[in-house]
């Protein structure tokens, strides 16, 4: 019950036990086409180029950034937690000129501050995290894409922690690339990164296409733009792999594709609005439960993610000893924190297969028992009672 990875849905695990197929087997090609169609509604898009990058969520992030930005390009990072720092790290490594607009951990960046930073820095790309699990904050994104389009700028959004649990609206946001991961609200294992590209992002990236020597073909022309600085994360070649050309770029991670496909089938069978409501109910219950125990919830209530809750560790309580007792006595894992929040907060995630009433109640009951053993006093059962009421 931490901020991810979380328990995978049993249907996903069963799907991953199927026999392997070669990447150009007609049946496998059919599965790839299905995956593209299944993930469009989950991303909130009609984008043709909606597919998977083989690797953990960070593989999708790096593929997006290295394919959009070339060395020397100016990129504005919207930074309000650890994962904004990660975007900065990746961009600096690929040689981009990084500018930032930021908010303290526990807050989000106002749209007018981003608008001012775009006007001041003139970036080629704006890069932003939707939900940053390090701070449990969700950055509002409506209107940001319009600002970027007006400035001739591409918008990249990392939705790893929110996709499948909070509304992701690539088309409404006017985002050019959005990436995700399976291991949080989608209820799968880490190892595959869903991604969607707008038509204008796909055109820009295709203009940087430089097919590797060993697989060159007469029907695939190189672009005039700068060669993408990674072979494996070259989205131009990956698009040609998933598209009609079926370029032999890499060996598809068949088992992960099965898992990603089943994640999407589970999500869509439940229905997106029902799924978002379930995550919201779970987050509401966690928040009510910990507050009933006299604990303080971290961050600005207006912008907190529905699927991860930060809790300030009470004075005099050993946070790591509590986490250890939760794990050893109840086999429940809750998260610690990073950077300036390390040792200051716990993070409870209610995501995907774990965003269920009984799992939230069991977690809060375990936390109550452990905190009482630590000498922290509050009315017995208060957390579970409040959570049960809040769920409804």
């Amino acid at each position: 019950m931490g901020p991810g990875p979380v328990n995978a849905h049993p249907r996903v695990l069963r799907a991953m036990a199927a026999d392997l197929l070669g990447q150009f087997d007609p049946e496998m090609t059919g599965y790839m086409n299905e995956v593209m169609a299944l993930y469009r509604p989950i991303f909130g898009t009609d984008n043709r180029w909606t597919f998977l990058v083989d690797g953990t969520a960070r593989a999708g992030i790096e593929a997006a950034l290295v394919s959009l930005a070339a060395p020397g390009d100016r990129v504005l990072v919207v930074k309000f937690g650890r994962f904004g720092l990660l975007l900065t790290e990746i961009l600096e490594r690929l040689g981009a000129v990084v500018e930032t607009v930021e908010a303290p951990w526990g807050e989000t960046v106002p749209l007018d501050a981003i608008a001012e930073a775009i006007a001041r820095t003139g970036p080629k790309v704006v890069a932003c995290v939707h939900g940053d699990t390090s701070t449990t904050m969700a950055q509002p994104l409506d209107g940001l894409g319009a600002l970027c389009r007006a400035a001739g700028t591409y918008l990249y959004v990392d939705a790893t922690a929110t996709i499948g649990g909070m509304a992701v609206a690539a088309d409404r946001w006017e985002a050019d690339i959005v990436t995700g991961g399976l291991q949080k609200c989608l209820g799968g294992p880490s190892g595959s990164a869903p991604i969607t590209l707008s038509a204008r992002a796909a055109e820009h990236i295709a203009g940087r296409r430089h097919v590797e020597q060993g697989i060159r073909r007469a029907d695939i022309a190189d672009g005039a733009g700068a060669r993408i600085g990674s072979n494996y994360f070259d989205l131009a070649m990956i698009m040609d792999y998933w598209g009609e050309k079926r370029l032999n770029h890499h060996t598809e991670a068949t088992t992960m594709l099965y898992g990603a496909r089943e994640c999407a089938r589970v999500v869509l069978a439940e229905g997106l609005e029902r799924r978002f409501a379930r995550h919201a109910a779970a987050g509401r219950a966690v928040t009510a439960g910990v507050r009933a125990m006299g604990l303080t919830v971290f961050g600005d209530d207006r912008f907190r993610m529905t699927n991860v809750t930060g809790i300030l560790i009470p004075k005099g309580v050993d946070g790591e000893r509590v986490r250890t007792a939760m794990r050893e006595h109840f086999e429940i894992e809750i998260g610690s924190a990073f950077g300036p929040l390390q040792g200051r907060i716990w993070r409870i995630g209610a995501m995907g297969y774990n965003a269920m009433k009984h799992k939230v109640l069991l977690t809060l009951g375990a936390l109550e028992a452990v905190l009482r053993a630590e000498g922290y006093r509050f009315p017995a059962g208060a957390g579970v009672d409040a959570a049960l009421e809040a769920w409804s």
Side-chain angles (χ1 to χ4, degrees):
M1 295 293 289
V6 300
N7 300 79
H9 196 290
R11 274 180 51 183
V12 174
L13 298 177
R14 286 196 294 270
M16 295 176 70
D19 283 343
L20 301 182
L21 289 168
Q23 66 258 41
F24 299 115
D25 185 298
E27 188 175 353
M28 183 65 171
T29 299
Y31 286 153
M32 292 171 77
N33 290 338
E34 281 183 30
V35 165
M36 296 175 80
L38 287 165
Y39 273 92
R40 290 186 185 110
I42 294 173
F43 274 112
T45 189
D46 292 322
N47 289 339
R48 174 192 178 194
W49 294 112
T50 302
F51 51 94
L52 304 175
V53 175
D54 289 341
T56 63
R58 192 171 299 201
I61 297 169
E62 191 146 350
L65 294 177
V66 75
S67 299
L68 273 179
D73 283 346
R74 193 171 300 275
V75 181
L76 176 66
V77 176
V78 179
K79 190 164 62 172
F80 57 101
R82 175 196 167 183
F83 294 100
L85 292 169
L86 172 63
L87 301 184
T88 300
E89 165 84 12
I90 292 171
L91 288 160
E92 288 175 344
R93 284 174 179 255
L94 67 85
V97 177
V98 180
E99 305 280 356
T100 61
V101 56
E102 53 193 281
W105 289 33
E107 301 177 19
T108 56
V109 184
L111 187 62
D112 58 358
I114 303 174
E116 186 280 328
I118 291 172
R120 173 172 47 83
T121 61
K124 177 74 168 289
V125 178
V126 172
C128 183
V129 177
H130 182 210
D132 194 314
T133 54
S134 70
T135 68
T136 73
M137 295 293 105
Q139 174 67 40
L141 293 174
D142 282 324
L144 181 53
L147 287 176
C148 292
R149 300 256 170 154
T153 297
Y154 296 100
L155 173 59
Y156 163 67
V157 176
D158 167 17
T160 299
T162 53
I163 189 168
M166 294 178 66
V168 171
D171 287 356
R172 192 184 79 226
W173 294 339
E174 298 184 79
D176 291 293
I177 301 185
V178 183
T179 62
L182 302 187
Q183 74 273 18
K184 297 183 187 280
C185 298
L186 287 174
S190 59
S192 186
I195 187 170
T196 189
L197 285 70
S198 71
R200 75 173 194 144
E203 182 180 7
H204 166 67
I205 291 167
R208 298 183 65 191
R209 178 195 288 114
H210 285 72
V211 179
E212 65 181 84
Q213 291 290 337
I215 55 173
R216 283 189 174 275
R217 289 172 14 193
D219 63 328
I220 305 178
D222 284 349
R227 183 171 65 175
I228 293 167
S230 169
N231 178 292
Y232 188 70
F233 295 137
D234 183 331
L235 287 180
M237 286 198 288
I238 297 174
M239 284 190 289
D240 284 338
Y241 180 55
W242 279 78
E244 294 80 1
K245 296 182 178 69
R246 300 294 172 189
L247 181 72
N248 189 11
H249 175 250
H250 67 281
T251 300
E252 179 59 27
T254 308
T255 300
M256 289 308 308
L257 185 141
Y258 294 161
R261 175 177 175 266
E262 197 64 16
C263 284
R265 284 160 52 91
V266 169
V267 168
L268 295 178
E270 180 177 4
L272 288 170
E273 294 307 318
R274 288 183 61 190
R275 192 174 183 89
F276 300 153
R278 176 166 62 85
H279 281 80
R284 189 169 61 243
V286 173
T287 299
V290 298
R291 283 181 168 154
M293 285 187 260
L295 300 170
T296 301
V297 175
F298 176 77
D300 189 332
D301 274 355
R302 295 172 299 167
F303 304 118
R304 283 193 301 102
M305 298 168 65
T306 62
N307 49 318
V308 185
T309 305
I311 305 154
L312 288 172
I313 299 170
K315 189 174 181 180
V317 171
D318 185 325
E320 285 306 299
R321 194 160 63 193
V322 166
R323 292 182 66 239
T324 299
M326 292 276 289
R327 180 68 182 84
E328 291 183 349
H329 298 321
F330 297 96
E331 296 195 2
I332 295 172
E333 178 191 26
I334 62 172
S336 55
F338 307 109
L341 297 179
Q342 188 169 10
R344 291 183 54 207
I345 69 169
W346 298 303
R347 293 176 299 153
I348 294 179
M351 302 181 178
Y353 190 59
N354 286 356
M356 300 172 70
K357 185 188 296 183
H358 73 281
K359 293 188 179 185
V360 169
L361 298 179
L362 288 170
T363 300
L364 290 171
L367 182 59
E368 285 190 355
V370 171
L371 284 173
R372 282 197 300 272
E374 287 289 308
Y376 181 77
R377 295 290 172 246
F378 54 91
V384 172
D385 289 348
L388 193 55
E389 182 178 354
W391 185 281
S392 303

